[in-house]
Amino acid sequence: MTKALKASGFLGLATMMTVGLYQFVRLAGGQGVPGWMIGGHAHLGVLSILAIVLGFAVPAVGVTGRLRTAVTGLFVAGQWGIPGIVWLGEGFGLGFLMPTGFLWGGALVVSMLIMFYKTITQPSDAGGGQPGFSPADD
């Protein structure tokens, strides 16, 4: 499951960078960049970085089973849903999609609340992750 989070994060960053290049082309051509494009770009970038971090945090915190599936599914849905509705709703004139922002935002909040719950309920001596692992000093 954490593979899905990390992969979604890296795909999101590649998408965000592509949108950023398109924005640069517009600016270089003397055109402005619409606010909705900038907003979706920024949200996808931040949420994609968080998806990668969450991909490492889930096993470190010891989230398993259905909770692990829920954290992954809810976060990935929110990661793409939030910028997606901004681009579709504002950029393509599909404003009726905008209220779904509460659904995508709620999915992100619930995934973080699950992580919060697992963080505060695990024993303080639970290390999670791989036994005997120590980060390099270089």
Side-chain angles (χ1 to χ4, degrees):
M1 274 295 157
T2 61
K3 184 176 184 178
L5 281 165
K6 294 173 196 170
S8 183
F10 287 118
L11 179 61
L13 287 175
T15 303
M16 182 266 317
M17 291 171 185
T18 302
V19 171
L21 287 171
Y22 175 70
Q23 290 174 351
F24 175 74
V25 168
R26 286 182 60 100
L27 288 172
Q31 298 176 323
V33 178
W36 59 264
M37 189 180 291
I38 296 167
H41 171 260
H43 279 84
L44 184 58
V46 170
L47 291 171
S48 296
I49 291 167
L50 289 175
I52 295 167
V53 171
L54 193 57
F56 290 99
V58 165
V61 171
V63 182
T64 59
R66 292 191 324 205
L67 288 180
R68 186 176 183 133
T69 302
V71 166
T72 300
L74 290 167
F75 193 89
V76 169
Q79 174 200 0
W80 290 96
I82 292 291
I85 59 143
V86 171
W87 288 335
L88 292 172
E90 293 295 319
F92 292 93
L94 302 174
F96 67 91
L97 292 175
M98 294 305 285
T100 65
F102 293 104
L103 174 69
W104 309 125
L108 291 169
V109 169
V110 171
S111 70
M112 292 297 99
L113 289 174
I114 293 169
M115 291 298 291
F116 169 72
Y117 167 77
K118 289 301 288 181
T119 300
I120 64 168
T121 59
Q122 75 176 355
S124 57
D125 62 346
Q130 302 170 342
F133 172 78
S134 60
D137 236 356
D138 50 13

